[in-house]
Amino acid sequence: MAPLKVLVGVKRVIDFAVKVRVAPGGHVVQEQGVKHSLNPFCEIALEEAVRMRERGEAAEVIAATVGSRQSQDALRTALALGADRAVLVELPGAGPEQGAGPGAGPGQGAGPPLVAAALAKLVEREKPQLVLLGKQAIDDDCNQTGQILAAILDWSQGTFLSRLELDPGSSSVRIQREVDGGLEQLRLQLPTVLTADLRLNQPRYATLPNIMKAKKKPLEVQPLEQLLGGPVPPPRLRVLRLEEPPVRQGAQRVESVPALLERLAALGRI
Amino acid sequence: MANLRSEVRNLYKNLLYLGREYPKGADYFRKRLKAAFLKNKDEKDPEKIKELIARGEFVIKELEALYFLRKYRALKQRYYSDDNQ
């Protein structure tokens, strides 16, 4: 069989090093002026796809995302990391400046069912034999997109990958999954949907020269309605309220055991 | 010589770019980077310049490893708290 075509789903999230704050109103998190980057688990999935291409197992790596216009920079990073081309499925109502709009969840509006539906349509169009995703995004931590996508496509699925090997003949893959209390080895027939866990590989760094080169790679923008061939269904989830965790009280030093007991009694702990 | 000159400039640019994520801040990094380059600005020997470029490239590798490890550790702490170290 010819080398595979691999579709990698990526997501633009608030950078892992940023302290997330709830925006005034309590429905969304503060996104304006906050550093964003590619979701780390998506980086791992992409790295695996790029390595497959470098070994000659994959012919083409396509990075795709569902999001606003700003998600383009996640795709540019993906291209810099080695994807051959990129597709942005653009959410309606998300102009170049505004984000996904009020009422949208921390996941920028498109929840896993919608993203999976959009990716399924892309799979129909691009006909990849393998779809690689991060196991979850570090913003909403849904951990659902891969599973829902596999169900829509009626493909096999392998989640929480810590190893991936293509069998000779390229018609199946051997995978190792991280499950509760151990590792699970499976062999899956292609086509399949796989999601990457933290230990699958060590992603490379997007260097400046590669970022420059990535600017010349093709990036296609497709409106979501057009891809779905109809209106975008309303979100199934509504964010009622977002709250920051209570601020941790500092520790206090006490002189002696009686003083400690007294303090604890005063706090109502004993 | 002109070739080496552009190599040095590229090295500087790449390091500057990497420094944007430096834990102690981009300014801290930039100052030190600039000082390190200025210290060797009068170097004329091509062999010596190549050696210095190689050292710069080594620093790039180290920084990339540092950033990778930082991200890996943060994620491990957030999502795999019950794992043994």
Side-chain angles (χ1 to χ4, degrees):
Chain A
M1 213 175 128
L4 308 171
K5 196 166 173 181
V6 185
L7 181 72
V8 183
V10 298
K11 186 175 186 182
R12 175 180 183 262
V13 297
I14 293 179
D15 190 74
F16 80 99
V18 172
K19 186 147 174 41
V20 179
R21 295 243 168 256
V22 176
H27 286 282
V28 286
V29 294
Q30 190 70 258
E31 295 206 350
Q32 230 107 65
V34 169
K35 188 184 172 205
H36 284 68
S37 57
L38 198 55
N39 177 36
F41 290 108
C42 298
E43 272 180 2
I44 296 170
L46 181 67
E47 175 69 26
E48 196 64 21
V50 171
R51 285 187 193 182
M52 284 178 82
R53 198 201 50 217
E54 285 168 352
R55 288 197 295 264
E57 293 169 354
E60 190 181 28
V61 177
I62 309 158
T65 193
V66 182
S68 64
R69 220 11 105 89
Q70 289 151 318
S71 293
Q72 274 186 347
D73 41 81
L75 289 177
R76 287 286 169 210
T77 314
L79 291 170
L81 291 170
D84 296 297
R85 63 191 169 91
V87 185
L88 168 66
V89 179
E90 198 179 3
L91 286 172
E97 290 98 41
Q98 78 202 84
Q108 298 195 337
L114 187 56
V115 174
L119 287 177
K121 289 283 178 191
L122 263 186
V123 167
E124 241 172 63
R125 198 188 79 180
E126 300 285 350
K127 308 223 178 324
Q129 290 87 14
L130 183 62
V131 178
L132 264 165
L133 304 167
K135 67 160 180 162
Q136 67 190 66
I138 61 163
D139 50 4
D140 54 17
D141 288 320
C142 280
N143 186 353
Q144 294 164 355
T145 306
Q147 291 88 328
I148 297 174
L149 176 62
I152 295 175
L153 294 168
D154 200 17
W155 285 9
S156 58
Q157 59 172 300
T159 49
F160 315 124
L161 248 60
S162 60
R163 201 162 71 214
L164 169 61
E165 277 167 36
L166 190 67
D167 280 334
S170 301
S171 63
S172 59
V173 286
R174 272 167 200 281
I175 59 162
Q176 187 180 62
R177 303 179 58 218
E178 294 197 12
V179 291
D180 283 346
L183 297 168
E184 185 178 48
Q185 322 267 350
L186 291 175
R187 187 184 203 169
L188 300 176
Q189 289 294 321
L190 294 177
T192 187
V193 179
L194 303 174
T195 71
D197 210 325
L198 187 60
R199 296 177 189 88
L200 182 59
N201 57 43
Q202 304 187 351
R204 66 196 70 185
Y205 195 83
T207 57
L208 187 59
N210 284 339
I211 287 173
M212 290 312 186
K213 278 180 219 151
K215 290 187 178 168
K216 295 197 184 98
K217 289 187 180 176
L219 194 158
E220 177 196 345
V221 180
Q222 177 149 45
L224 181 57
E225 302 99 317
Q226 205 183 324
L227 187 68
L228 293 177
V232 177
R236 296 205 197 178
L237 295 178
R238 196 155 50 92
V239 177
L240 296 179
R241 198 153 41 109
L242 281 180
E243 266 177 47
E244 283 179 25
V247 184
R248 196 172 167 273
Q249 303 272 317
Q252 283 176 351
R253 196 175 279 273
V254 288
E255 292 302 321
S256 61
V257 174
L260 171 68
L261 290 173
E262 200 181 298
R263 290 290 307 155
L264 285 173
L267 288 168
R269 299 283 184 214
I270 49 172
Chain B
M1 202 65 199
N3 198 1
L4 274 179
R5 188 181 164 79
S6 74
E7 255 184 68
V8 171
R9 279 166 53 136
N10 275 337
L11 180 70
Y12 188 77
K13 278 189 199 168
N14 289 341
L15 278 164
L16 198 58
Y17 175 78
L18 273 166
R20 298 204 303 199
E21 260 189 75
Y22 198 69
K24 281 187 165 174
D27 279 339
Y28 174 92
F29 185 87
R30 196 173 51 88
K31 270 185 206 136
R32 271 148 199 267
L33 176 66
K34 197 166 179 177
F37 270 70
L38 280 180
K39 200 175 79 189
N40 294 310
K41 73 184 164 80
D42 296 323
E43 193 56 62
K44 293 280 186 280
D45 178 10
E47 285 308 310
K48 192 79 209 298
I49 294 175
K50 273 182 199 152
E51 210 174 277
L52 288 166
I53 290 173
R55 199 168 90 198
E57 266 150 19
F58 172 76
V59 173
I60 289 182
K61 289 269 173 303
E62 290 279 290
L63 281 173
E64 285 176 5
L66 169 76
Y67 296 156
F68 164 75
L69 215 62
R70 192 166 66 126
K71 192 181 280 183
Y72 180 87
R73 284 207 180 125
L75 287 171
K76 197 165 141 66
Q77 231 170 21
R78 275 178 219 179
Y79 293 109
Y80 305 85
S81 54
D82 51 346
D83 277 17
N84 298 323
Q85 283 300 313

